[in-house]
Amino acid sequence: MTGRWALAPTEGGGARLVPLGRDGLPAGPVMTEPDLVEAVRSRPDVVRWVWRSTAEIYPRLLAAGVRVERCYDIECAEHLLLGHEGRLGEPRSAAAAWARLRDAPVPPDPPPRSAEPGSQSSLFDPPSGTTVPFDALLQVYAEQLRRHDAAEHPGRMRLLTTAESAGLLVATEMNRTGLPWRADVHREVLSGLLGERYAGGGEPRRLAEAADEVSEAFGRRVRPDLPADVVKAFAQAGIKVRSTRRWELEKVDHPAVEPLIRYKKLYRLWTAHGWSWLTDWVREGRFRPEYQPGGTVSGRWTTNGGGALQIPRVIRQAVVADPGWRLVVADADQMEPRVLAAISRDRGLMEVAGHEGDLYTALSDRAFHGDRDHAKLALLGAVYGQTSGDGLKNLAALRRRFPHAVAYVDEAAKAGEEGRLVRTWLGRTSPPAAGAGEYEEAGIPQESGGPVSGEGAGEYGPGHASSDSRARGRFTRNFVVQGSAADWALLLLAALRRTLADRRMRAELVFFQHDEVIVHCPAEEAPAVVEAIRAAGELAGLTAFGETPVRFPFTTAVVERYSDAK
């Protein structure tokens, strides 16, 4: 094995490359080769490729049948390092990093590229304004190694960059492989739920019928797809509603409510996963979204178009394994509470999380007289900051039995309220200031009257902090847990990817979201895949958090159709 090599494409499909020393600087002469793919293919003993951007290089390698085991993505690392230094949001491109290194004007990052349904050709073209000379790229990399050494926990920070770079390899491979998708089944589901389509692209029959029922209930023409029109219609009927959200409509006694809720459900299906979506996104029996690792501030993945992480349960009927193959669908069981046990080092909670059974049942036996519901509400309340009403009482019980776990998230909340940064276990860092969108992406509900409301809101007594600072405290309270869970998930994917490759299995990773992974494999490989997922989860826990009693079990189903997994 020959360690690390830096690689950069040149015009005409060639490449410049060089072996690197431990300091990140060249350990030999820079070489120029006429074919980038052959430059990589001919060096199978390279341990890790260092390049500007995985999205720039790896798709063309995969298209040529060349798989890379490990990489270091310089622009990914820059993003993580900027966050760790409290500078999240500054330009992250290699060109920006090179400018900062020279105290030169920093160019802005290029605007995000829109996904192209059914095509990945644009992935082969680097965004304009992001390329830098090869020697400059090497200096940026060497400086990044020094910045990793200066991190609060250098080893963890290096592991985070390694894991995020591995996630980019996984995402690129999943983009290319695609999720098995039966367009004929999808069309049958749409026809059954929405009815036939009318000429001219108007609303399908059952959607139009529901709209007519809404208008009939109000006694005048109402556009149910326009919330302002609906709110106005209710006001004219003497009913005040602030929105057309389902939870608010269900409190209203009016004949328009039932068809309105039915319309909204069908409308969402028609616009988000209807016939147009199918035409745009499914090609040759595969749905190929463009995954974006670390797409949110907490490290959770997003997609650039296609809505892969929000596939409605009814549409999952169309996700069908190839003949003779199976889908292994694995959900991590109660991942975030287990992560809290690992990062807080609370002995009692680690012991509870050290079993593969239901965590909330074990917790209820310890602290809540066998009441599983209260145990679950208490633990989730500690993570998400639900501290009003019964939540405050449940949290007090949790604090008595598991003081270190509650203190861990309390301190994160206090840091957020005081405007300080917080970090995940591996070093992913919260933004300096959180906007409403960041609260929502972290799963923090926005209650009426502001982000936090009600008696007992805020951990430190009435009047301790403003509404905005309390909201940020709830964000950082959740961030340290959810972000650490996202870090663990990256290591899970990396370990699973390596196992499938090392065993020369035909199995392929085809889907990932938060705590769920799907592997498409020949039926005879399914038992080995189930075991590989289990082992990868345990290895990820050990790699991320060290030796702890905490287990990371999965609920796993081997099915032909995704909808049969739950």
Side-chain angles (χ1 to χ4, degrees):
M1 306 296 272
T2 59
R4 298 189 177 200
W5 280 61
L7 176 73
T10 61
E11 291 185 9
R16 299 192 76 191
L17 62 163
V18 67
L20 299 172
R22 295 178 62 86
D23 57 1
L25 296 174
V30 174
M31 291 168 274
T32 300
E33 299 206 2
D35 189 292
L36 181 146
V37 171
E38 287 306 314
V40 175
R41 195 199 306 271
S42 63
R43 294 174 174 83
D45 55 346
V46 172
V47 173
R48 192 182 307 277
W49 289 99
V50 176
W51 52 45
R52 182 187 72 84
S53 167
T54 302
E56 176 188 20
I57 294 177
Y58 198 39
R60 73 176 68 175
L61 294 177
L62 285 178
V66 177
R67 181 183 180 276
V68 168
E69 179 64 31
R70 300 179 184 89
C71 78
Y72 178 103
D73 188 300
I74 288 175
E75 293 192 341
C76 163
E78 188 68 17
H79 177 68
L80 294 173
L81 287 166
L82 285 171
H84 193 276
E85 294 158 358
R87 301 158 63 190
L88 195 66
E90 291 187 23
R92 57 176 287 181
S93 72
W98 173 234
R100 280 190 288 266
L101 197 55
R102 295 177 295 133
D103 291 324
V106 177
D109 287 339
R113 179 185 51 78
S114 298
E116 297 182 10
S119 172
Q120 292 187 358
S121 60
S122 58
L123 290 177
F124 298 152
D125 302 319
S128 60
T130 62
T131 57
V132 296
F134 191 54
D135 61 340
L137 194 69
L138 299 181
Q139 292 185 51
V140 168
Y141 172 63
E143 177 63 17
Q144 286 184 346
L145 294 186
R146 289 191 287 272
R147 290 161 70 192
H148 278 89
D149 289 340
E152 184 176 357
H153 297 286
R156 295 185 197 173
M157 193 65 195
R158 284 191 288 267
L159 179 59
L160 176 61
T161 300
T162 298
E164 193 94 321
S165 295
L168 290 166
L169 294 176
V170 172
T172 307
E173 291 167 1
M174 290 201 304
N175 289 342
R176 179 167 182 82
T177 302
L179 184 64
W181 203 280
R182 285 276 300 274
D184 57 331
V185 174
H186 191 147
R187 293 189 186 96
E188 289 176 5
V189 171
L190 293 177
S191 296
L193 292 173
L194 299 174
E196 61 271 20
R197 290 183 286 175
Y198 296 130
E203 293 181 342
R205 176 173 56 83
R206 289 183 179 164
L207 201 58
E209 290 173 350
D212 289 342
E213 290 179 46
V214 171
S215 295
E216 183 178 349
F218 282 119
R220 70 172 182 84
R221 185 62 184 169
V222 174
R223 289 277 302 277
D225 58 325
L226 300 178
D229 203 16
V230 174
V231 170
K232 180 179 179 181
F234 273 119
Q236 291 175 343
I239 300 171
K240 183 178 180 179
V241 296
R242 289 175 296 183
S243 73
T244 59
R245 294 186 177 93
R246 179 171 181 170
W247 63 267
E248 186 167 0
L249 292 177
E250 287 176 339
K251 301 175 184 178
V252 174
D253 182 15
H254 190 277
V257 169
E258 188 280 327
L260 182 57
I261 291 176
R262 177 164 27 101
Y263 177 92
K264 287 168 61 68
K265 181 178 180 180
L266 295 177
Y267 184 82
R268 188 177 302 113
L269 176 65
W270 177 52
T271 55
H273 288 91
W275 291 277
S276 295
W277 180 93
L278 183 60
T279 299
D280 286 342
W281 288 100
V282 177
R283 292 283 190 282
E284 299 174 347
R286 292 292 187 272
F287 167 39
R288 294 182 174 88
E290 189 177 310
Y291 292 96
Q292 304 286 314
T296 66
V297 294
S298 67
R300 282 189 178 183
W301 287 26
T302 59
T303 58
N304 185 12
L309 306 186
Q310 296 177 327
I311 302 174
R313 189 173 302 275
V314 67
I315 295 297
R316 295 178 187 180
Q317 298 175 60
V319 182
V320 182
D322 292 344
W325 287 51
R326 297 292 184 270
L327 299 171
V328 180
V329 183
D331 278 307
D333 294 335
Q334 297 133 355
M335 177 176 65
E336 289 176 353
R338 294 177 187 276
V339 166
L340 174 58
I343 61 179
S344 68
R345 295 305 204 251
D346 187 292
R347 291 185 179 181
L349 191 56
M350 285 196 295
E351 183 178 346
V352 169
H355 303 281
E356 297 196 359
D358 181 70
L359 182 144
Y360 298 122
T361 297
L363 184 68
S364 67
D365 292 340
R366 289 290 190 92
F368 293 91
H369 308 291
D371 190 326
R372 183 185 183 279
D373 289 342
H374 276 184
K376 181 176 181 179
L377 287 173
L379 195 50
L380 294 181
V383 173
Y384 287 94
Q386 300 297 311
T387 58
S388 61
D390 289 341
L392 195 61
K393 180 175 65 176
N394 292 335
L395 185 61
L398 193 72
R399 182 178 283 111
R400 286 193 297 271
R401 293 304 299 266
F402 309 106
H404 293 293
V406 178
Y408 193 93
V409 289
D410 278 353
E411 173 55 32
K414 183 179 180 182
E417 290 189 1
E418 294 174 352
R420 292 183 281 132
L421 300 177
V422 300
R423 309 192 198 282
T424 67
W425 184 258
L426 294 187
R428 191 186 305 272
T429 306
S430 64
E438 289 164 326
Y439 300 135
E440 291 171 3
E441 79 85 17
I444 298 175
Q446 304 299 293
E447 301 173 281
S448 59
V452 181
S453 65
E455 182 180 357
E459 282 301 305
Y460 311 101
H464 172 80
S466 69
S467 176
D468 286 346
S469 65
R470 287 199 303 267
R472 177 164 168 76
R474 295 179 73 197
F475 171 81
T476 52
R477 166 190 294 277
N478 179 252
F479 179 91
V480 295
V481 180
Q482 188 184 98
S484 296
D487 297 346
W488 170 85
L490 282 172
L491 293 168
L492 159 75
L493 290 174
L496 180 57
R497 174 180 182 262
R498 172 181 282 188
T499 297
L500 298 181
D502 287 350
R503 296 182 184 178
R504 300 186 181 279
M505 300 171 71
R506 298 169 65 195
E508 50 195 19
L509 269 163
V510 294
F511 183 78
F512 167 69
Q513 64 167 357
H514 182 45
D515 58 358
E516 180 180 66
V517 63
I518 301 180
V519 177
H520 185 226
C521 65
E524 62 272 16
E525 289 185 359
V529 170
V530 171
E531 171 57 25
I533 293 172
R534 185 205 65 78
E538 293 303 321
L539 179 59
L542 177 64
T543 304
F545 310 120
E547 291 278 1
T548 75
V550 179
R551 301 272 69 82
F552 293 90
F554 287 84
T555 295
T556 307
V558 179
V559 296
E560 294 184 41
R561 192 181 300 259
Y562 184 20
S563 58
D564 293 338
K566 296 180 180 180

